[in-house]
Amino acid sequence: MLKKALLSCCFAAGMSLAQTYDLPIVFVDTKGKCLDSKVTEKIPATMRVLDGKTNSVADSAKGTLYDIGIKVRGQSSALFPKPGYGVEVRDEKGEGLDVSLFGLPPADDWVFHGPYVDKSMMRNALAHWLFRQAGHYSPRTKHFDLYINGVYRGVYVLIEKIKRGKYRVNVSKLKETDIAGDSLTGGYIWAFDKTGTNTGGAGSGPIEKEGFNTSDGLNVILHDPKKENIQKQQEDYLKKYLNDLEGLFKNGKNGQGYENYVDMTSALDYVLHEEVTNNADSYWCSFFLHKPKDKTDKNGVKTEGKVTLGPAWDFNLAMSNGSQPENGGGNNGGGMW
């Protein structure tokens, strides 16, 4: 009986090693360290990437080797059997290292999205593609097979993390010294979202750790600069700008002049996109916006940087996959955060 059991195990192991995939394969090795939702900081690990026309598990040692930091990401989704992961590619000093994965533009931060609620595994990829067709940036995606510590975890989606950069949200960097004039007016990326998006846990923790409330009580979660890096003058400027915009709709006002604050092309395209994709999370969470700087040319003509809606994010519950009746009454689930 023992001999039969050993032969069965060897046969199964051989079948696993012989498995060939059409998708790229990523092998993560945490060197024995625990990787679950209770680990709040990225742990050091290694990652090998196979990206040929076909890829075999038996060739894992031939994959391109990277040092990485990795942690479970998400709020409710962090507790799913197939959670998502935040991954930072690192150099020998432990600093972020920009690399191109699967032919996407180089960066150090990436999202390994585990499409557990979305059984089609296509909703995020399709939604981002649609937004890009409207001429706006939306994170690029690639599907791949993921192994962690030798265990197959399923098909995942590599998604560009929303951040400032030449190939992502192309706004000027807001430096610590940018506290007055045109330099103060832009380079902001934020989201209207639940608290806990940057500190772990859905809707937990005070807003002061991550951003601020607008006059209407909306949670502004600061992404670039983050709360710990933003200067007081910068936070005060953004808060006043958003409060002034909200003020156009208060005390009997009808919103006249809001186009002076909001990039209307981005707003129209964003709203149409959320409606077409029937996104259950529309407008209340994972709602990213950014604002470029004002610019004054050599003739003194000023071009104002306005609130720009997007990039789009989080479509697990889109396309009739939400639990609300108007969204098709599908599976309950959580967002990518």
Side-chain angles (χ1 to χ4, degrees):
M1 179 63 71
L2 179 59
K3 183 178 181 181
K4 288 183 178 179
L6 289 173
L7 286 172
S8 296
C9 290
C10 291
F11 177 76
M15 287 292 288
S16 175
L17 288 174
Q19 183 66 53
T20 298
Y21 298 89
D22 293 329
L23 294 174
I25 312 176
V26 172
F27 305 90
V28 172
D29 184 356
T30 66
K31 309 300 182 182
K33 293 185 179 180
C34 180
L35 179 61
D36 60 24
S37 60
K38 296 178 182 178
V39 179
T40 58
E41 301 294 332
K42 290 186 177 73
I43 62 172
T46 59
M47 174 177 75
R48 286 192 180 270
V49 177
L50 281 176
D51 186 17
K53 291 183 178 179
T54 59
N55 302 286
S56 172
V57 175
D59 294 329
S60 62
K62 299 178 181 178
T64 304
L65 178 64
Y66 300 99
D67 290 323
I68 63 170
I70 186 171
K71 68 182 288 289
V72 173
R73 75 190 311 275
Q75 295 183 350
S76 54
S77 60
L79 303 178
F80 290 166
K82 189 178 182 179
Y85 300 95
V87 174
E88 180 189 44
V89 183
R90 295 172 173 172
D91 61 19
E92 63 278 3
K93 296 180 180 179
E95 302 294 329
L97 176 66
D98 288 351
V99 299
S100 174
L101 297 179
F102 310 150
L104 297 183
D108 58 348
D109 282 322
W110 300 89
V111 173
F112 287 6
H113 168 50
Y116 177 71
V117 171
D118 174 18
K119 305 308 181 187
S120 76
M121 297 186 287
M122 289 298 296
R123 282 178 168 83
N124 276 286
L126 177 57
H128 288 304
W129 178 85
L130 284 171
F131 200 58
R132 291 196 299 273
Q133 302 318 296
H136 304 287
Y137 168 73
S138 199
R140 287 161 284 243
T141 65
K142 291 286 184 178
H143 288 75
F144 66 97
D145 285 288
L146 177 64
Y147 283 80
I148 297 180
N149 297 329
V151 178
Y152 180 59
R153 300 306 304 270
V155 174
Y156 270 67
V157 186
L158 179 74
I159 304 180
E160 293 176 325
K161 184 177 180 180
I162 292 178
K163 60 186 299 184
R164 188 195 63 80
K166 178 180 178 181
Y167 301 109
R168 298 194 181 180
V169 184
N170 193 14
V171 293
S172 300
K173 180 177 177 60
L174 188 65
K175 297 178 290 187
E176 291 182 358
T177 54
D178 292 339
I179 57 174
D182 287 353
S183 64
L184 173 65
T185 62
Y188 302 95
I189 304 173
W190 72 95
F192 294 128
D193 211 336
K194 295 170 286 187
T195 56
T197 57
N198 291 333
T199 56
S204 63
I207 184 62
E208 290 76 18
K209 286 187 176 181
E210 300 174 273
F212 58 86
N213 287 129
T214 67
S215 58
D216 275 348
L218 295 177
N219 290 333
V220 173
I221 308 297
L222 296 167
H223 283 264
D224 199 341
K226 290 190 178 298
K227 178 68 175 184
E228 59 267 27
N229 298 323
I230 198 168
Q231 301 301 301
K232 182 179 185 302
Q233 295 92 331
Q234 296 165 350
E235 183 173 338
D236 287 347
Y237 170 84
L238 182 60
K239 182 185 292 187
K240 182 179 186 305
Y241 194 94
L242 296 178
N243 286 343
D244 288 347
L245 173 57
E246 289 180 346
L248 299 177
F249 297 87
K250 292 183 175 181
N251 301 318
K253 297 179 182 178
N254 62 4
Q256 184 175 358
Y258 70 91
E259 67 278 3
N260 296 321
Y261 291 81
V262 178
D263 180 275
M264 295 307 298
T265 299
S266 74
L268 290 169
D269 288 346
Y270 187 92
V271 170
L272 284 172
H273 181 263
E274 294 294 309
E275 296 302 315
V276 166
T277 56
N278 193 24
N279 189 4
D281 284 336
S282 295
Y283 315 125
W284 76 279
C285 71
S286 299
F287 180 9
F288 278 84
L289 308 95
H290 62 282
K291 185 181 184 301
K293 295 181 187 293
D294 296 348
K295 293 182 180 179
T296 304
D297 65 18
K298 60 183 181 181
N299 297 317
V301 178
K302 188 169 187 174
T303 301
E304 294 187 357
K306 300 178 182 179
V307 170
T308 305
L309 279 66
W313 190 253
D314 193 354
F315 294 90
N316 286 338
L317 303 183
M319 305 172 199
S320 300
N321 202 34
S323 59
Q324 298 90 335
E326 64 269 22
N327 295 115
N331 299 322
N332 284 314
M336 282 179 60
W337 289 107

